[in-house]
Amino acid sequence: MSGSHLDVLISELQIRVRTAELAKQIDDEFGGEPVLLIAVLKGSIHFLSDLGRLMKSDTQLDFLQVSSYHGGKSSTGVVQIRKDLDINIEGLNVLIVEDIVDTGVTLSHLRELLSTRKPKSLKVVALLSKSGSRTVHPPVEYIGFEIPNEFVVGYGLDYAERYRNLPYIAILREE
Ligand code: 5GP
């Protein structure tokens, strides 16, 4: 995108340190029980990959894709399931791995949907949270960083499919 620039908000090192802390906290709280990590595509892939490798619990992976933004910078409020899980989650400890919780609409739908499938437990880890922007308040058990209400990209997060490969989180500003 021309006429825009990136301001680093969270560095690669900060992400690494915080992800290791979260991995340890999650491992401790699951106390050796197996956990199914569900990544919400595509934004959480780098976070899932790093978090998953730092966890010592016995983990399985699955993927879910929803869409609520349709390539723009503000939410439409419509949540569609684009790709459903492969694994039957009944009786499993499930940890939803989210890139960012903004209004909370997407996560609230996801929690509702997955809880109808009777997992043993259902928790959420989100790398980023814009708590000031919530319109609904689904529980988020683990949060990496609280951030201001700005549009961010990097470390999996995109703007029109760009910037996902940045190793840090940056605010995308238009000039
Ligand atoms: P919510 O339903 O909580 O408003 O939004 C959740 C989804 O909106 C996230 O999973 C993400 O895809 C997208 N989103 C929310 N805020 C941002 C942002 O600052 N940057 C990017 N790239 N996506 C965002």
Side-chain angles (χ1 to χ4, degrees):
M1 200 167 74
S2 61
S4 63
H5 73 271
L6 299 171
D7 286 333
V8 177
L9 180 67
I10 305 169
S11 70
E12 190 174 357
L13 179 62
Q14 285 176 295
I15 294 172
R16 201 177 318 138
V17 169
R18 185 70 185 120
T19 305
E21 288 171 359
L22 288 170
K24 181 164 188 327
Q25 190 186 350
I26 293 166
D27 278 336
D28 289 349
E29 288 180 22
F30 279 100
E33 287 199 28
V35 189
L36 172 67
L37 304 179
I38 295 181
V40 183
L41 294 171
K42 301 173 190 170
S44 62
I45 55 157
H46 297 316
F47 182 44
L48 169 89
S49 170
D50 289 341
L51 180 76
R53 282 178 296 176
L54 287 162
M55 285 175 62
K56 295 190 169 59
S57 305
D58 174 9
T59 58
Q60 288 186 300
L61 302 181
D62 205 352
F63 300 91
L64 187 74
Q65 187 165 22
V66 296
S67 63
S68 59
Y69 261 47
H70 306 292
K73 281 174 75 174
S74 61
S75 179
T76 58
V78 178
V79 178
Q80 293 175 313
I81 299 274
R82 285 197 179 168
K83 186 220 167 285
D84 208 335
L85 299 171
D86 295 328
I87 295 176
N88 175 5
I89 64 170
E90 187 170 344
L92 304 182
N93 292 310
V94 169
L95 182 67
I96 301 175
V97 181
E98 266 283 18
D99 48 3
I100 186 165
V101 181
D102 182 14
T103 63
V105 169
T106 308
L107 182 59
S108 166
H109 277 79
L110 267 184
R111 284 198 79 116
E112 220 169 279
L113 172 77
L114 296 185
S115 58
T116 63
R117 299 181 185 179
K118 304 190 169 50
K120 179 176 177 188
S121 66
L122 181 60
K123 292 187 174 180
V124 177
V125 56
L127 178 66
L128 306 173
S129 167
K130 297 181 194 171
S131 294
S133 312
R134 294 283 199 286
T135 56
V136 288
H137 298 84
V140 185
E141 284 77 8
Y142 310 99
I143 291 175
F145 300 92
E146 280 294 346
I147 64 166
N149 189 15
E150 301 268 11
F151 190 80
V152 292
V153 294
Y155 197 66
L157 288 157
D158 74 313
Y159 176 61
E161 295 301 326
R162 290 186 63 201
Y163 307 112
R164 291 194 198 275
N165 61 321
L166 298 176
Y168 51 82
I169 303 283
I171 297 174
L172 180 64
R173 296 194 198 279
E174 288 173 48
E175 275 146 12

